[in-house]
Amino acid sequence: MFISVPRLCRVLQLTLAVIKPDAVAHPLILETLHEKILENNFIIIRRQDFIWKKEDSEMFYAEHSGRFFYQRLVEFMSSGPMQAYVLARDDAIRHWREMMGPTKVFRARHTSPDTIRGRFGLTDTRNTTHGSDSLESAHKEIKFFFPDFCVDRWMEEEEPLYRTGKVYYDPLKMIHALSIPG
Ligand code: DAT
Ligand code: MG
């Protein structure tokens, strides 16, 4: 599957998307979410499975420590496998968050039933997906999951190639790659 050049004319932005344990536990939901990512013209730069220890959850969600849901959140995020993606697209951060819908599943079901959380979320904690909420958090979160991935270097060296070149989807690795010219 090639993404043609004209659709990729605006500068690409990176975001971190995570499919949380509640969704990874259900292969059909996981598959549907992966397809949604592709249908929405995201370029999958990295994709990897993770299983967190409690300490990883605590570190990632440190900003929420002290909130009433923190312990529940930390335990849930270390309760089973997750799948993390580095996604590229124009306006990727906003677009992925729009696809996810509101944080609170019970609200999402009413106000945005067609969003990911509205369709698949189980509770306000077990809400199916994560998405970075700003450029700063995307940088930080991509580094958290993929410490060898340098966002600045990717933006400088790879972004122009992914935006203007032919991008190929590898169905076995389930990520995109640049096609070799000729
Ligand atoms: P988001 O994941 O939409 O960025 P957030 O950063 O405010 O939302 O919260 C992080 C996670 O914490 C969220 O995905 C699920 C959990 N959470 C947030 N608010 C909650 C609440 N009121 N009750 C239960 N879990 C909550
Ligand atoms: Mg958040």
Side-chain angles (χ1 to χ4, degrees), residues 52-78 124-125 144:
W52 271 357
K53 296 196 183 84
K54 214 173 153 214
E55 301 82 69
D56 299 313
S57 309
E58 284 169 349
M59 228 184 295
F60 188 78
Y61 281 118
E63 65 175 300
H64 294 301
S65 76
R67 306 283 299 276
F68 74 92
F69 56 81
Y70 181 65
Q71 277 314 315
R72 217 184 306 156
L73 174 64
V74 160
E75 267 157 41
F76 164 60
M77 292 299 284
S78 45
D124 288 348
T125 306
F144 191 95

Side-chain angles (χ1 to χ4, degrees), residues 12-168:
L12 299 173
Q13 185 181 64
L14 296 173
T15 192
L16 180 88
V18 180
I19 304 184
K20 294 185 180 182
D22 57 314
V24 173
H26 292 274
L28 282 178
I29 296 180
L30 182 60
E31 198 183 314
T32 303
L33 294 176
H34 188 85
E35 272 162 21
K36 263 187 165 297
I37 288 170
L38 294 175
E39 280 164 13
N40 281 271
N41 290 332
F42 285 100
I43 304 175
I44 303 172
I45 306 295
R46 294 284 183 97
R47 187 188 64 86
Q48 198 178 311
D49 294 327
F50 289 86
I51 299 180
W52 271 357
K53 296 196 183 84
K54 214 173 153 214
E55 301 82 69
D56 299 313
S57 309
E58 284 169 349
M59 228 184 295
F60 188 78
Y61 281 118
E63 65 175 300
H64 294 301
S65 76
R67 306 283 299 276
F68 74 92
F69 56 81
Y70 181 65
Q71 277 314 315
R72 217 184 306 156
L73 174 64
V74 160
E75 267 157 41
F76 164 60
M77 292 299 284
S78 45
S79 67
M82 288 179 286
Q83 205 160 112
Y85 291 78
V86 176
L87 299 178
R89 220 202 95 129
D90 60 296
D91 218 4
I93 295 171
R94 189 187 58 79
H95 199 78
W96 176 246
R97 284 196 67 93
E98 252 178 47
M99 282 170 62
M100 292 200 305
T103 303
K104 293 187 176 179
V105 162
F106 295 110
R107 177 174 305 160
R109 280 185 197 157
H110 284 286
T111 63
S112 338
D114 294 333
T115 60
I116 289 169
R117 285 164 165 173
R119 275 181 74 187
F120 303 113
L122 297 176
T123 65
D124 288 348
T125 306
R126 295 190 287 161
N127 62 0
T128 314
T129 47
H130 168 83
S132 307
D133 61 8
S134 65
L135 275 176
E136 193 191 348
S137 66
H139 261 68
K140 210 168 99 190
E141 292 173 358
I142 289 170
K143 203 172 183 59
F144 191 95
F145 278 87
F146 300 94
D148 64 325
F149 187 93
C150 178
V151 170
D152 289 334
R153 193 177 325 132
W154 190 90
M155 287 304 293
E156 200 180 309
E157 294 173 8
E158 308 267 319
E159 188 277 337
L161 302 176
Y162 276 87
R163 176 160 39 94
T164 58
K166 280 221 167 116
V167 177
Y168 170 69

